[in-house]
Amino acid sequence: MKMNNQINAKNIWKSFENNELQGWLVFALNNMNTEPIKENLIIEIDGDYFNNLDEFFCTLGEEINGVAGYFGRNILALYDCLRGDFGVESIKKLTWKNHQKSKKLFKSKFNEILQTFEDFNVEINLQ
């Protein structure tokens, strides 16, 4: 896809099988552009738009870093990304629409994700 310039829009990963999503996240990590460094980002995600943790990380990565963007592929990697060097100096606010769906899907991981953002002083708005 990259060689054929087919990675030119967000959500290409939506057509992938669940077992292909971690591969996409590895691709995104290895091909990300971190310039310019962003500060005090205000981001919005929608729980209706992803159905598992891998899709959550694909959505988050593209919301923060654009097409084929990366911002973690598990909670430990999310923590590393929030520390810096992944295109973002800081995130000011995260709005999570339809968070109840995510909370049901992710179970205890939902609270771990929230705690990770809170550890970096990200204001969280659950809708």
Side-chain angles (χ1 to χ4, degrees):
M1 291 178 76
K2 182 177 180 180
M3 291 178 11
N4 293 331
N5 293 321
Q6 294 174 314
I7 301 174
N8 54 12
K10 287 183 177 180
N11 305 316
I12 290 171
W13 54 268
K14 283 290 219 179
S15 64
F16 296 167
E17 299 291 325
N18 284 345
N19 62 349
E20 297 173 310
L21 291 171
Q22 277 291 314
W24 175 257
L25 289 164
V26 170
F27 166 80
L29 171 61
N30 290 313
N31 289 283
M32 69 180 288
N33 179 7
T34 58
E35 297 295 328
I37 301 295
K38 299 171 251 351
E39 290 185 65
N40 297 317
L41 282 178
I42 296 174
I43 58 174
E44 182 177 294
I45 58 175
D46 189 334
D48 282 346
Y49 203 68
F50 43 86
N51 298 304
N52 57 49
L53 278 171
D54 290 338
E55 289 183 1
F56 163 78
F57 285 110
C58 290
T59 299
L60 185 64
E62 288 192 334
E63 180 64 27
I64 293 171
N65 285 313
V67 174
Y70 177 84
F71 207 74
R73 59 182 254 199
N74 57 47
I75 295 171
L76 292 174
L78 173 62
Y79 187 92
D80 287 343
C81 288
L82 286 164
R83 284 191 345 204
D85 295 333
F86 287 89
V88 174
E89 179 68 29
S90 61
I91 296 174
K92 181 177 182 175
K93 182 177 182 179
L94 166 66
T95 297
W96 195 327
K97 292 184 172 182
N98 300 301
H99 77 282
Q100 290 295 348
K101 178 180 177 187
S102 303
K103 189 173 185 173
K104 285 181 187 175
L105 284 171
F106 299 169
K107 297 178 175 55
S108 65
K109 298 284 186 197
F110 181 81
N111 289 330
E112 288 180 50
I113 291 168
L114 293 182
Q115 185 60 54
T116 301
F117 281 110
E118 288 172 2
D119 288 349
F120 288 90
N121 301 312
V122 176
E123 178 186 337
I124 300 170
N125 179 16
L126 299 176
Q127 297 182 355

mmCIF file of all heavy atoms in Angstrom, residues 55-81:
data_model
loop_
_atom_site.group_PDB
_atom_site.id
_atom_site.type_symbol
_atom_site.label_atom_id
_atom_site.label_comp_id
_atom_site.label_asym_id
_atom_site.label_seq_id
_atom_site.Cartn_x
_atom_site.Cartn_y
_atom_site.Cartn_z
ATOM 1 N N GLU A 55 -8.529 -1.032 17.512
ATOM 2 C CA GLU A 55 -9.197 0.034 16.763
ATOM 3 C C GLU A 55 -9.155 1.354 17.538
ATOM 4 O O GLU A 55 -9.039 2.429 16.937
ATOM 5 C CB GLU A 55 -10.637 -0.347 16.433
ATOM 6 C CG GLU A 55 -10.736 -1.435 15.388
ATOM 7 C CD GLU A 55 -12.167 -1.772 15.010
ATOM 8 O OE1 GLU A 55 -13.120 -1.146 15.536
ATOM 9 O OE2 GLU A 55 -12.339 -2.677 14.172
ATOM 10 N N PHE A 56 -9.241 1.286 18.850
ATOM 11 C CA PHE A 56 -9.091 2.485 19.677
ATOM 12 C C PHE A 56 -7.736 3.126 19.417
ATOM 13 O O PHE A 56 -7.636 4.344 19.193
ATOM 14 C CB PHE A 56 -9.242 2.143 21.162
ATOM 15 C CG PHE A 56 -8.712 3.199 22.090
ATOM 16 C CD1 PHE A 56 -9.447 4.351 22.345
ATOM 17 C CD2 PHE A 56 -7.474 3.053 22.705
ATOM 18 C CE1 PHE A 56 -8.965 5.337 23.207
ATOM 19 C CE2 PHE A 56 -6.982 4.031 23.561
ATOM 20 C CZ PHE A 56 -7.735 5.178 23.809
ATOM 21 N N PHE A 57 -6.668 2.331 19.434
ATOM 22 C CA PHE A 57 -5.330 2.888 19.227
ATOM 23 C C PHE A 57 -5.145 3.396 17.798
ATOM 24 O O PHE A 57 -4.467 4.409 17.590
ATOM 25 C CB PHE A 57 -4.250 1.877 19.623
ATOM 26 C CG PHE A 57 -4.111 1.747 21.108
ATOM 27 C CD1 PHE A 57 -4.513 0.599 21.759
ATOM 28 C CD2 PHE A 57 -3.617 2.796 21.869
ATOM 29 C CE1 PHE A 57 -4.410 0.487 23.144
ATOM 30 C CE2 PHE A 57 -3.514 2.704 23.250
ATOM 31 C CZ PHE A 57 -3.906 1.544 23.890
ATOM 32 N N CYS A 58 -5.755 2.750 16.820
ATOM 33 C CA CYS A 58 -5.720 3.268 15.443
ATOM 34 C C CYS A 58 -6.412 4.626 15.376
ATOM 35 O O CYS A 58 -5.894 5.582 14.784
ATOM 36 C CB CYS A 58 -6.403 2.303 14.475
ATOM 37 S SG CYS A 58 -5.519 0.759 14.168
ATOM 38 N N THR A 59 -7.579 4.726 15.990
ATOM 39 C CA THR A 59 -8.343 5.980 16.004
ATOM 40 C C THR A 59 -7.566 7.077 16.725
ATOM 41 O O THR A 59 -7.444 8.199 16.220
ATOM 42 C CB THR A 59 -9.708 5.765 16.694
ATOM 43 O OG1 THR A 59 -10.449 4.785 15.959
ATOM 44 C CG2 THR A 59 -10.501 7.051 16.780
ATOM 45 N N LEU A 60 -7.048 6.766 17.897
ATOM 46 C CA LEU A 60 -6.294 7.745 18.672
ATOM 47 C C LEU A 60 -5.062 8.227 17.896
ATOM 48 O O LEU A 60 -4.789 9.431 17.829
ATOM 49 C CB LEU A 60 -5.880 7.136 20.013
ATOM 50 C CG LEU A 60 -5.190 8.067 21.001
ATOM 51 C CD1 LEU A 60 -6.126 9.188 21.440
ATOM 52 C CD2 LEU A 60 -4.720 7.262 22.212
ATOM 53 N N GLY A 61 -4.350 7.294 17.298
ATOM 54 C CA GLY A 61 -3.149 7.656 16.533
ATOM 55 C C GLY A 61 -3.449 8.603 15.395
ATOM 56 O O GLY A 61 -2.728 9.576 15.165
ATOM 57 N N GLU A 62 -4.544 8.337 14.677
ATOM 58 C CA GLU A 62 -4.881 9.222 13.560
ATOM 59 C C GLU A 62 -5.441 10.554 14.035
ATOM 60 O O GLU A 62 -5.208 11.577 13.390
ATOM 61 C CB GLU A 62 -5.850 8.520 12.610
ATOM 62 C CG GLU A 62 -5.163 7.434 11.820
ATOM 63 C CD GLU A 62 -5.971 6.882 10.675
ATOM 64 O OE1 GLU A 62 -7.221 6.934 10.717
ATOM 65 O OE2 GLU A 62 -5.349 6.383 9.723
ATOM 66 N N GLU A 63 -6.138 10.555 15.136
ATOM 67 C CA GLU A 63 -6.650 11.817 15.670
ATOM 68 C C GLU A 63 -5.491 12.734 16.083
ATOM 69 O O GLU A 63 -5.549 13.943 15.894
ATOM 70 C CB GLU A 63 -7.575 11.560 16.866
ATOM 71 C CG GLU A 63 -8.159 12.806 17.475
ATOM 72 C CD GLU A 63 -9.080 13.588 16.558
ATOM 73 O OE1 GLU A 63 -9.692 12.993 15.651
ATOM 74 O OE2 GLU A 63 -9.179 14.818 16.739
ATOM 75 N N ILE A 64 -4.438 12.140 16.598
ATOM 76 C CA ILE A 64 -3.307 12.923 17.082
ATOM 77 C C ILE A 64 -2.275 13.199 15.992
ATOM 78 O O ILE A 64 -1.795 14.316 15.849
ATOM 79 C CB ILE A 64 -2.650 12.215 18.286
ATOM 80 C CG1 ILE A 64 -3.628 12.234 19.473
ATOM 81 C CG2 ILE A 64 -1.313 12.845 18.658
ATOM 82 C CD1 ILE A 64 -3.203 11.400 20.652
ATOM 83 N N ASN A 65 -1.932 12.189 15.207
ATOM 84 C CA ASN A 65 -0.832 12.314 14.251
ATOM 85 C C ASN A 65 -1.240 12.191 12.785
ATOM 86 O O ASN A 65 -0.386 12.020 11.928
ATOM 87 C CB ASN A 65 0.268 11.303 14.583
ATOM 88 C CG ASN A 65 1.063 11.729 15.794
ATOM 89 O OD1 ASN A 65 1.481 12.868 15.904
ATOM 90 N ND2 ASN A 65 1.252 10.818 16.738
ATOM 91 N N GLY A 66 -2.523 12.229 12.483
ATOM 92 C CA GLY A 66 -2.966 12.239 11.088
ATOM 93 C C GLY A 66 -2.990 10.863 10.448
ATOM 94 O O GLY A 66 -2.953 9.834 11.127
ATOM 95 N N VAL A 67 -3.054 10.843 9.137
ATOM 96 C CA VAL A 67 -3.172 9.617 8.345
ATOM 97 C C VAL A 67 -2.100 8.613 8.759
ATOM 98 O O VAL A 67 -0.917 8.949 8.825
ATOM 99 C CB VAL A 67 -3.052 9.933 6.838
ATOM 100 C CG1 VAL A 67 -3.031 8.659 6.012
ATOM 101 C CG2 VAL A 67 -4.185 10.842 6.400
ATOM 102 N N ALA A 68 -2.542 7.396 9.059
ATOM 103 C CA ALA A 68 -1.652 6.313 9.497
ATOM 104 C C ALA A 68 -0.839 6.728 10.720
ATOM 105 O O ALA A 68 0.278 6.274 10.920
ATOM 106 C CB ALA A 68 -0.742 5.840 8.364
ATOM 107 N N GLY A 69 -1.421 7.584 11.539
ATOM 108 C CA GLY A 69 -0.733 8.083 12.723
ATOM 109 C C GLY A 69 -0.637 7.035 13.817
ATOM 110 O O GLY A 69 -1.441 6.110 13.894
ATOM 111 N N TYR A 70 0.340 7.194 14.654
ATOM 112 C CA TYR A 70 0.592 6.271 15.757
ATOM 113 C C TYR A 70 0.575 7.041 17.065
ATOM 114 O O TYR A 70 1.120 8.147 17.161
ATOM 115 C CB TYR A 70 1.964 5.615 15.583
ATOM 116 C CG TYR A 70 2.339 4.700 16.726
ATOM 117 C CD1 TYR A 70 1.902 3.387 16.745
ATOM 118 C CD2 TYR A 70 3.117 5.154 17.784
ATOM 119 C CE1 TYR A 70 2.232 2.538 17.802
ATOM 120 C CE2 TYR A 70 3.456 4.320 18.842
ATOM 121 C CZ TYR A 70 3.008 3.012 18.838
ATOM 122 O OH TYR A 70 3.331 2.182 19.879
ATOM 123 N N PHE A 71 -0.054 6.467 18.076
ATOM 124 C CA PHE A 71 0.050 6.985 19.431
ATOM 125 C C PHE A 71 -0.221 5.842 20.399
ATOM 126 O O PHE A 71 -1.133 5.879 21.201
ATOM 127 C CB PHE A 71 -0.894 8.167 19.664
ATOM 128 C CG PHE A 71 -0.396 9.098 20.725
ATOM 129 C CD1 PHE A 71 0.670 9.946 20.470
ATOM 130 C CD2 PHE A 71 -0.971 9.128 21.974
ATOM 131 C CE1 PHE A 71 1.150 10.811 21.443
ATOM 132 C CE2 PHE A 71 -0.504 9.980 22.958
ATOM 133 C CZ PHE A 71 0.558 10.826 22.691
ATOM 134 N N GLY A 72 0.569 4.809 20.271
ATOM 135 C CA GLY A 72 0.472 3.646 21.137
ATOM 136 C C GLY A 72 -0.241 2.485 20.471
ATOM 137 O O GLY A 72 -1.006 2.663 19.538
ATOM 138 N N ARG A 73 0.058 1.289 20.984
ATOM 139 C CA ARG A 73 -0.643 0.086 20.507
ATOM 140 C C ARG A 73 -1.076 -0.801 21.663
ATOM 141 O O ARG A 73 -1.629 -1.864 21.474
ATOM 142 C CB ARG A 73 0.182 -0.683 19.490
ATOM 143 C CG ARG A 73 1.517 -1.149 19.999
ATOM 144 C CD ARG A 73 2.288 -1.848 18.940
ATOM 145 N NE ARG A 73 2.284 -3.272 19.209
ATOM 146 C CZ ARG A 73 3.151 -4.110 18.697
ATOM 147 N NH1 ARG A 73 4.044 -3.697 17.853
ATOM 148 N NH2 ARG A 73 3.109 -5.370 19.008
ATOM 149 N N ASN A 74 -0.795 -0.317 22.868
ATOM 150 C CA ASN A 74 -1.291 -0.917 24.100
ATOM 151 C C ASN A 74 -1.127 0.151 25.180
ATOM 152 O O ASN A 74 -0.621 1.242 24.908
ATOM 153 C CB ASN A 74 -0.564 -2.232 24.433
ATOM 154 C CG ASN A 74 0.930 -2.052 24.549
ATOM 155 O OD1 ASN A 74 1.412 -1.127 25.198
ATOM 156 N ND2 ASN A 74 1.694 -2.935 23.920
ATOM 157 N N ILE A 75 -1.552 -0.139 26.389
ATOM 158 C CA ILE A 75 -1.555 0.896 27.419
ATOM 159 C C ILE A 75 -0.141 1.322 27.809
ATOM 160 O O ILE A 75 0.116 2.507 28.017
ATOM 161 C CB ILE A 75 -2.386 0.445 28.635
ATOM 162 C CG1 ILE A 75 -3.851 0.294 28.197
ATOM 163 C CG2 ILE A 75 -2.272 1.440 29.785
ATOM 164 C CD1 ILE A 75 -4.762 -0.335 29.202
ATOM 165 N N LEU A 76 0.791 0.401 27.857
ATOM 166 C CA LEU A 76 2.173 0.773 28.168
ATOM 167 C C LEU A 76 2.760 1.667 27.080
ATOM 168 O O LEU A 76 3.475 2.631 27.365
ATOM 169 C CB LEU A 76 3.038 -0.469 28.372
ATOM 170 C CG LEU A 76 2.718 -1.291 29.621
ATOM 171 C CD1 LEU A 76 3.544 -2.564 29.644
ATOM 172 C CD2 LEU A 76 2.938 -0.485 30.879
ATOM 173 N N ALA A 77 2.459 1.364 25.837
ATOM 174 C CA ALA A 77 2.939 2.195 24.729
ATOM 175 C C ALA A 77 2.274 3.572 24.757
ATOM 176 O O ALA A 77 2.900 4.580 24.436
ATOM 177 C CB ALA A 77 2.691 1.498 23.396
ATOM 178 N N LEU A 78 1.000 3.632 25.140
ATOM 179 C CA LEU A 78 0.320 4.913 25.284
ATOM 180 C C LEU A 78 1.050 5.767 26.322
ATOM 181 O O LEU A 78 1.285 6.960 26.113
ATOM 182 C CB LEU A 78 -1.136 4.701 25.693
ATOM 183 C CG LEU A 78 -1.938 5.951 26.043
ATOM 184 C CD1 LEU A 78 -2.038 6.898 24.849
ATOM 185 C CD2 LEU A 78 -3.327 5.565 26.537
ATOM 186 N N TYR A 79 1.420 5.159 27.422
ATOM 187 C CA TYR A 79 2.171 5.860 28.464
ATOM 188 C C TYR A 79 3.467 6.432 27.889
ATOM 189 O O TYR A 79 3.803 7.592 28.108
ATOM 190 C CB TYR A 79 2.454 4.908 29.627
ATOM 191 C CG TYR A 79 3.069 5.583 30.823
ATOM 192 C CD1 TYR A 79 2.266 6.081 31.843
ATOM 193 C CD2 TYR A 79 4.449 5.730 30.935
ATOM 194 C CE1 TYR A 79 2.830 6.715 32.947
ATOM 195 C CE2 TYR A 79 5.016 6.361 32.032
ATOM 196 C CZ TYR A 79 4.199 6.845 33.032
ATOM 197 O OH TYR A 79 4.751 7.473 34.111
ATOM 198 N N ASP A 80 4.191 5.608 27.135
ATOM 199 C CA ASP A 80 5.434 6.073 26.510
ATOM 200 C C ASP A 80 5.177 7.243 25.568
ATOM 201 O O ASP A 80 5.938 8.211 25.549
ATOM 202 C CB ASP A 80 6.110 4.941 25.734
ATOM 203 C CG ASP A 80 6.753 3.903 26.633
ATOM 204 O OD1 ASP A 80 6.961 4.190 27.831
ATOM 205 O OD2 ASP A 80 7.047 2.807 26.136
ATOM 206 N N CYS A 81 4.115 7.162 24.773
ATOM 207 C CA CYS A 81 3.794 8.237 23.838
ATOM 208 C C CYS A 81 3.488 9.532 24.581
ATOM 209 O O CYS A 81 3.891 10.612 24.145
ATOM 210 C CB CYS A 81 2.612 7.846 22.959
ATOM 211 S SG CYS A 81 3.007 6.582 21.731
#
